[in-house]
Amino acid sequence: MSEITDFDSLRRAMAENGEQPEGPARNARAEQLLVEAERLNIPLAVIEALGHQLKVYNYSSEKAKMFVPFARLLRMWDERPEEFDEYETHSLHWVFKWVSSGMLDQPHVPLASVEKWLGEMEHRYRLAGHSARAVRSAEFSVAAHVGDVERAERAFTAWLAADRDTMADCHACELHGQGWWRAERGRDAEALALWAPVLEGEYSCAHEPHTVLASSLAPLLRLGRLEEARAHHLRGFRLVRSMESMRGAYADHVEFCALTGNEARGLELLAERPAYFTDEGHPHSRLEFLSVVVLLMERLSELGLAGQRVPGPAGREWTALELAGHARTQALALAARFDERNGTSYVSERARARMAQRPLVERLPLGVRAARPASAAAAAAAPDAAAPAPTPTPATDAPDLAVLLAEAQRLSDTLQPRAVEAWARVARLAEEVEGVELEARERAEIADHEAIGLGPDGAETFEHAAELYAQAGDPGEALAARARAAYIRALGGEIDEALAAVADPYDRVLSLYAEGGTGVPQAAGVLMGRARILMRRVHEAEGEVVDEAVLAEAEAAVRELLALVDGRAGNDVRLAARVAEGHAMLAELATHSGNPEAGAKLFARAAREFNETGLPWFAVEYEARLAGLAHQLGDMREAERALRAALEHGGPYLEAVGRAQLHLQLAEVVGGRGEAEEAAEHALEAAHWADEAGAGPTLGAWARHQLGGFLVRQGRWAEAAEVLESALAELTAETHGDGAVVQTQWWLGDCLSELGEHRDAAERRLQAAEIARHWPEQHDHATLAHLAAESLGQAGLRTEADQAYARAGELWRGLGNVHGLVRSLRARAWLALRVEDGTDAARDLMARAVEECADAFDGADDDEARLRLIAELGHTHRQFGDLLARSAAEDADDDSIRATLDEALSQMAEAVAVFVALGEDAVHARTGAELAAGWLETDLGRPAAAAARARTVLRAYADVEDAADIGAGSGEREEDETAGARRAEAEQLLQAAEEQKDR
């Protein structure tokens, strides 16, 4: 920490402190600097130190501290205004706004005092000649806070009518306040229209668009503009996350999570800011925060999670139920203090209304990881299972059982997804109804469907069903049930045992069918079971090549099934399904036999047959398989069609993990044809469903990786950064491959660079480079090292940047990539120029870049490579000239400056000559260098030469209209704008040369 010895060192220290993160540490340093300022015995130093204190207090959780330094400043102004310079005079009047709003947010400050200060502000602004705009804005805040709508509307109108002057808040802040009032009055669309210039980046400041993004969340949700709400949350939370003073905006993001089914993310937000529960420096924002804590905790309780542990005030553990009660008590006590001060009940009413909000969306996927808390239904499942048995129902209710039986039979006969549950309901009701005994056939159906529900554990239950079918006089269905039991064993890996178990039912059912003792459905059931077992042997064969005998036996079984069923299905849905499944089996066999084209056609046929039969949910698996084969065959249109069909036909019956996989595949296909926006939507859905399936760390992380990449392609940097950071928390080289980890770090580095977070960008790029360092191919390593160097330089870490560029240069050299090597040398030269006494080093590095271009040109072995090297050489000469011109020290003697500028001009001339050799392809580069040379000519007092260069540029663009008249055709617009700008600059250079000539 530098010692304060004079006014300049004090100012430097205050500037450094102003760049530190908001919080108590920065505030404490400001207090120390005031002590140092008082020791200097310079009134203006004390004034500036007090102003610095005011600023850091205002932008922190200790806002209540700013009243004391402000009172002292005001007293100094009243006693000796001449000690204030122009800037501090302006600042004193400016912070009146902070103080008036700050008093409003402190319930211990009487409302009469707030009104008195409002009057004092108006009086002093009038004396200073300022507009009443800021005063009316402050009055509006007072009226809106106490719920005086009539006065608020009057003040609001007067605020907008008053002239803007230097005391008015910035455009961004004013638009936030104006939009906030419209949203408060139920005019959400108007609010969002007012906020548009801030959201689009036309207006910004230190705290905008931070607060506008936060304030826009609830209006967007209410209007159903969910995609925008999601984007504003991801973008906005990133802005407020590190800003201690923005507890109110932070609360808006917690509220958003509670209203959109993102309760888990809401808990993560609370965990990031434990001090927000207790910081008392700004009571009003604490009230806002505690109110949304109640909202979130009560939402968790509604979901059956009242006992879940949650983050809360330090010092003890909290459940959702306990924290809800604590936060409600604290919030309403604060609200009551405000109401007592204000003489109204408005603040308490608002707080209660905020706590009582209902979710606006069941769940809005965000793309970032967050395991969803169990739903109320899931949480209630265990108690229901353990509940005492219901009281037996009288026999008079037996007709209900008949209705359930008929419905269960209908569902099973038509292969509906809910048939298993329907037969389970029949079984439960039969146990509850006194005096009712089911027939053997009905008990067989119950056992059969119970076995289906048991999955891999259902073999014994299928055997029991077979016994019951036999008792019911249906030997064919008994044999089919035994075949199903055998297939279950095959699923467990006991394929030989399963084949042995199905042999007897197979022989017996064929004999029985031949004798007329059973029908096609029963015989088909046994044949299908045997075919499925043989297909399992195909699936589990080691290696990609399956023994031809295994394939032949399986194919024979499938064709035997089709020979039995095909053409006999009629209106029997079950038989039609056997046909479709048989064609799907043939598709698999064709694929295993090395004929993917035939496999694709057969999968398409099977899917079509399931759909035509009215069983679209069975088509999903085969449409997904078809998509994979189409992708393999390069038929991306068919792959996309099949994936969309699978999602459509799966409907509500798709399991979460299956839905995630389909969306992810579709994202990759759609993204592959350049539709990044739609691809991002599918990747978002994939991440959501992966989380729902409990596959967040595996499939979900990959989906987030893909989503982040698609957002990067759209330039949605803040959203992409949030998603990619979330993906990196779970991506691993072991599960996803180190390529995915490197690519995610790379994309994240690009995002952070675009967001101006250069130090973090450098860290991400260096981490990616470290992984890529071990790869056999080193191009990615070199590129990442180069990008990391760029970020280090932009972060002001010059030494580290130079080292990274040097490392990248060596890598480029090893790869034989002279372009990368030259660019690293040029970047190092510019870095060296920024260091004291670094001019000579900068010259040497740029000269080396020129030499590298020349050496590589001599060794180039094709014309295209030579042309690229000529262009690189031209750009290097151009940058060398710029660097030399920039290096001309202002305090050097005239001869030294002139010699440096002459040298710079020589490099520019070389650049022009090189670009001339490239012809029309380099016209913009040539004219840029020509203009730079022309300006150097004027600096050297050579107006005729400067004019000649300007005319050369004008001739190059003789057919271009004035810049103001350029057309807006999208294809040529950028070219036209460059040409117009060059022509306009040439006109300026020509005019400057003529004026110099006349002097």
Side-chain angles (χ1 to χ4, degrees):
M1 193 175 293
S2 58
E3 184 181 356
I4 309 302
T5 57
D6 54 28
F7 201 171
D8 286 340
S9 60
L10 174 69
R11 283 174 165 164
R12 284 195 299 271
M14 289 190 294
E16 290 171 4
N17 193 47
E19 295 299 318
Q20 298 304 305
E22 296 176 352
R26 187 171 75 157
N27 295 352
R29 176 61 174 157
E31 292 162 6
Q32 182 183 355
L33 289 174
L34 176 59
V35 175
E36 298 286 350
E38 289 169 336
R39 290 175 183 158
L40 295 177
N41 200 27
I42 301 173
L44 185 57
V46 175
I47 291 168
E48 290 189 13
L50 285 166
H52 177 63
Q53 250 194 17
L54 269 168
K55 182 176 182 179
V56 300
Y57 285 155
N58 186 63
Y59 294 115
S60 79
S61 61
E62 299 179 307
K63 291 178 185 285
K65 288 187 174 182
M66 69 181 174
F67 302 126
V68 172
F70 178 72
R72 183 176 173 186
L73 264 179
L74 196 59
R75 186 172 64 254
M76 292 173 72
W77 167 261
D78 289 338
E79 293 172 356
R80 286 183 292 277
E82 69 279 2
E83 292 178 347
F84 287 69
D85 62 14
E86 182 179 356
Y87 178 81
E88 293 303 327
T89 299
H90 176 275
S91 296
L92 175 68
H93 287 82
W94 181 268
V95 296
F96 251 107
K97 299 182 295 182
W98 294 354
V99 172
S100 62
S101 64
M103 288 181 171
L104 198 62
D105 294 331
Q106 303 289 335
H108 70 275
V109 178
L111 191 61
S113 297
V114 176
E115 296 282 8
K116 175 186 174 184
W117 273 100
L118 183 61
E120 183 75 10
M121 176 182 174
E122 183 168 17
H123 171 68
R124 289 179 182 267
Y125 272 38
R126 191 182 303 115
L127 287 177
H130 296 308
S131 164
R133 190 177 183 92
V135 178
R136 298 285 76 82
S137 174
E139 181 187 5
F140 160 76
S141 296
V142 173
H145 172 75
V146 302
D148 188 342
V149 175
E150 291 185 9
R151 183 186 179 191
E153 289 285 7
R154 289 196 305 272
F156 187 85
T157 302
W159 168 20
L160 270 59
D163 293 334
R164 278 189 57 83
D165 66 352
T166 57
M167 284 297 116
D169 283 339
C170 75
H171 281 289
C173 289
E174 283 209 330
L175 287 173
H176 173 249
Q178 293 162 18
W180 173 84
W181 182 241
R182 282 169 171 77
E184 282 289 302
R185 304 300 295 154
R187 293 145 65 183
D188 290 333
E190 291 180 35
L192 290 163
L194 266 173
W195 288 331
V198 183
L199 296 170
E200 294 165 6
E202 184 178 346
Y203 301 121
S204 63
C205 68
H207 280 189
E208 294 296 353
H210 313 44
T211 54
V212 164
L213 285 164
S215 296
S216 71
L217 295 172
L220 285 168
L221 291 175
R222 290 193 291 263
L223 292 171
R225 292 161 59 174
L226 304 184
E227 175 61 32
E228 291 174 77
R230 175 195 299 115
H232 287 199
H233 169 64
L234 293 177
R235 179 182 162 202
F237 181 67
R238 186 170 193 84
L239 292 173
V240 304
R241 170 181 270 153
S242 62
M243 301 184 73
E244 186 203 41
S245 65
M246 302 202 73
R247 180 163 52 183
Y250 201 98
D252 290 340
H253 287 280
V254 176
E255 176 184 56
F256 167 85
C257 293
L259 297 178
T260 58
N262 286 288
E263 299 84 7
R265 180 165 171 84
L267 293 177
E268 291 178 1
L269 267 58
L270 296 187
E272 284 193 32
R273 281 290 184 181
Y276 276 174
F277 288 97
T278 53
D279 282 345
E280 297 181 347
H282 191 243
H284 194 263
S285 69
R286 183 166 181 248
L287 168 59
E288 292 174 326
F289 182 76
L290 291 172
S291 296
V292 300
V293 169
V294 174
L295 173 68
L296 178 60
M297 294 305 115
E298 294 193 345
R299 176 63 184 152
L300 288 171
S301 296
E302 289 175 11
L303 293 173
L305 299 167
Q308 177 170 317
R309 287 182 56 184
V310 295
R316 55 161 289 187
E317 293 183 353
W318 297 89
T319 65
L321 181 63
E322 291 166 343
L323 185 57
H326 171 80
R328 178 179 287 276
T329 299
Q330 295 281 310
L332 292 179
L334 266 175
R337 289 175 59 200
F338 278 108
D339 285 340
E340 183 180 2
R341 188 269 303 271
N342 299 338
T344 70
S345 60
Y346 184 69
V347 174
S348 293
E349 290 168 1
R350 279 174 49 83
R352 287 192 174 91
R354 194 168 197 184
M355 297 173 190
Q357 291 178 97
R358 304 301 306 152
L360 296 172
V361 185
E362 182 179 352
R363 191 175 191 199
L364 178 62
L366 302 179
V368 293
R369 67 189 182 100
R372 189 180 191 187
S375 67
D384 285 351
T391 304
T393 306
T396 53
D397 290 342
D400 288 344
L401 180 60
V403 171
L404 284 182
L405 272 168
E407 176 64 7
Q409 195 66 61
R410 183 189 70 81
L411 291 173
S412 58
D413 287 348
T414 55
L415 301 180
Q416 297 298 306
R418 292 180 294 275
V420 170
E421 290 83 350
W423 282 106
R425 286 195 296 273
V426 169
R428 285 196 300 271
L429 187 57
E431 291 178 359
E432 297 166 3
V433 177
E434 293 179 355
V436 170
E437 185 174 349
L438 294 174
E439 296 179 2
R441 175 73 191 201
E442 294 164 345
R443 287 184 282 118
E445 292 274 18
I446 290 172
D448 206 355
H449 286 83
E450 181 185 351
I452 294 172
L454 289 172
D457 300 322
E460 291 185 6
T461 309
F462 273 128
E463 295 285 4
H464 177 56
E467 295 171 2
L468 292 171
Y469 280 126
Q471 292 176 20
D474 191 342
E477 198 60 54
L479 294 170
R482 287 179 58 194
R484 289 191 281 275
Y487 175 57
I488 291 297
R489 292 191 171 88
L491 287 177
E494 301 175 8
I495 296 176
D496 291 339
E497 294 84 349
L499 283 172
V502 82
D504 179 62
Y506 171 71
D507 291 337
R508 289 178 59 189
V509 84
L510 289 179
S511 174
L512 195 62
Y513 177 68
E515 297 168 357
T518 193
V520 172
Q522 291 77 18
V526 177
L527 267 58
M528 176 57 79
R530 181 170 177 270
R532 284 172 174 170
I533 294 168
L534 289 167
M535 288 300 297
R536 290 300 302 172
R537 193 163 66 174
V538 172
H539 294 155
E540 296 194 2
E542 291 186 7
E544 295 183 2
V545 179
V546 182
D547 185 271
E548 289 187 8
V550 172
L551 290 171
E553 189 176 6
E555 182 175 351
V558 175
R559 293 198 181 279
E560 183 181 18
L561 166 70
L562 289 172
L564 172 69
V565 178
D566 212 359
R568 295 185 176 88
N571 295 324
D572 191 325
V573 171
R574 293 173 298 177
L575 290 179
R578 302 290 192 208
V579 173
E581 187 177 350
H583 288 137
M585 289 176 171
L586 292 178
E588 290 188 64
L589 292 168
T591 304
H592 278 289
S593 300
N595 190 353
E597 293 86 355
K601 290 179 181 178
L602 283 163
F603 276 131
R605 178 177 179 178
R608 184 173 63 254
E609 288 170 341
F610 273 122
N611 286 318
E612 290 172 351
T613 305
L615 304 171
W617 45 88
F618 285 121
V620 173
E621 177 184 351
Y622 306 116
E623 285 161 336
R625 295 286 298 277
L626 170 59
L629 282 178
H631 199 295
Q632 176 185 331
L633 295 168
D635 188 351
M636 305 312 292
R637 180 175 295 181
E638 176 64 3
E640 182 177 342
R641 185 209 63 75
L643 288 167
R644 292 188 188 279
L647 281 168
E648 177 188 352
H649 295 144
Y653 308 112
L654 267 176
E655 292 185 358
V657 69
R659 190 178 295 274
Q661 290 167 337
L662 289 171
H663 275 296
L664 189 53
Q665 291 175 59
L666 190 53
E668 292 172 354
V669 171
V670 172
R673 60 177 171 81
E675 299 293 335
E677 187 171 349
E678 185 186 351
E681 293 173 4
H682 288 295
L684 176 68
E685 288 294 322
H688 164 70
W689 289 109
D691 288 343
E692 291 287 294
T698 51
L699 185 60
W702 180 256
R704 278 181 266 281
H705 158 80
Q706 294 282 62
L707 172 59
F710 293 129
L711 291 171
V712 166
R713 282 165 60 177
Q714 297 174 67
R716 295 161 66 176
W717 308 112
E719 297 168 63
E722 282 292 302
V723 170
L724 292 167
E725 286 175 344
S726 181
L728 279 171
E730 294 173 328
L731 278 174
T732 65
E734 294 75 18
T735 302
H736 306 94
D738 56 5
V741 177
V742 167
Q743 182 62 80
T744 305
Q745 295 275 26
W746 194 328
W747 281 331
L748 181 54
D750 291 346
C751 293
L752 296 172
S753 179
E754 292 288 342
L755 295 169
E757 301 173 32
H758 299 299
R759 189 182 291 263
D760 291 340
E763 181 180 352
R764 295 299 185 177
R765 287 167 166 173
L766 288 170
Q767 289 170 351
E770 178 59 24
I771 298 173
R773 182 170 68 87
H774 304 285
W775 293 353
E777 208 291 313
Q778 287 288 284
H779 185 273
D780 285 343
H781 182 200
T783 304
L784 285 161
H786 199 113
L787 290 170
E790 287 183 8
S791 294
L792 289 166
Q794 289 169 319
L797 302 172
R798 297 173 189 169
T799 301
E800 293 86 345
D802 183 72
Q803 292 170 349
Y805 275 125
R807 175 61 180 149
E810 290 305 312
L811 290 167
W812 291 128
R813 187 186 296 281
L815 289 165
N817 188 324
V818 69
H819 300 280
L821 172 59
V822 167
R823 290 167 190 175
S824 67
L825 288 168
R826 293 197 310 236
R828 292 181 66 195
W830 284 107
L831 281 173
L833 190 65
R834 292 158 59 187
V835 178
E836 190 174 351
D837 299 327
T839 302
D840 290 342
R843 285 167 173 265
D844 290 344
L845 286 162
M846 201 65 82
R848 283 173 55 190
V850 172
E851 292 169 5
E852 293 288 352
C853 285
D855 292 345
F857 182 82
D858 293 338
D861 54 7
D862 65 75
D863 290 341
E864 183 179 350
R866 289 190 187 92
L867 287 173
R868 289 185 64 219
L869 285 166
I870 290 171
E872 199 72 73
L873 179 61
H875 289 299
T876 304
H877 279 301
R878 167 66 197 271
Q879 287 201 33
F880 203 168
D882 287 334
L883 181 140
L884 290 168
R886 191 91 48 98
S887 72
E890 294 181 1
D891 57 353
D893 60 77
D894 290 346
D895 289 343
S896 175
I897 292 174
R898 189 174 188 85
T900 302
L901 294 180
D902 264 325
E903 193 179 353
L905 180 58
S906 175
Q907 290 292 336
M908 288 297 181
E910 291 281 0
V912 171
V914 171
F915 291 135
V916 166
L918 291 172
E920 288 303 309
D921 289 342
V923 63
H924 293 327
R926 173 170 60 84
T927 54
E930 196 83 70
L931 288 167
W935 290 112
L936 285 170
E937 302 276 19
T938 62
D939 290 340
L940 289 164
R942 301 168 186 168
R949 292 188 182 278
R951 292 189 184 96
T952 299
V953 174
L954 290 171
R955 283 195 298 274
Y957 299 116
D959 297 331
V960 178
E961 299 295 328
D962 290 339
D965 299 326
I966 293 172
S970 59
E972 300 178 356
R973 183 173 182 177
E974 188 173 343
E975 285 285 310
D976 287 347
E977 287 179 351
T978 301
R982 290 281 194 274
R983 178 169 175 161
E985 186 179 354
E987 296 281 7
Q988 293 172 357
L989 175 59
L990 188 59
Q991 181 179 351
E994 294 297 333
E995 291 173 355
Q996 191 177 52
K997 195 184 301 181
D998 292 339
R999 288 202 292 270

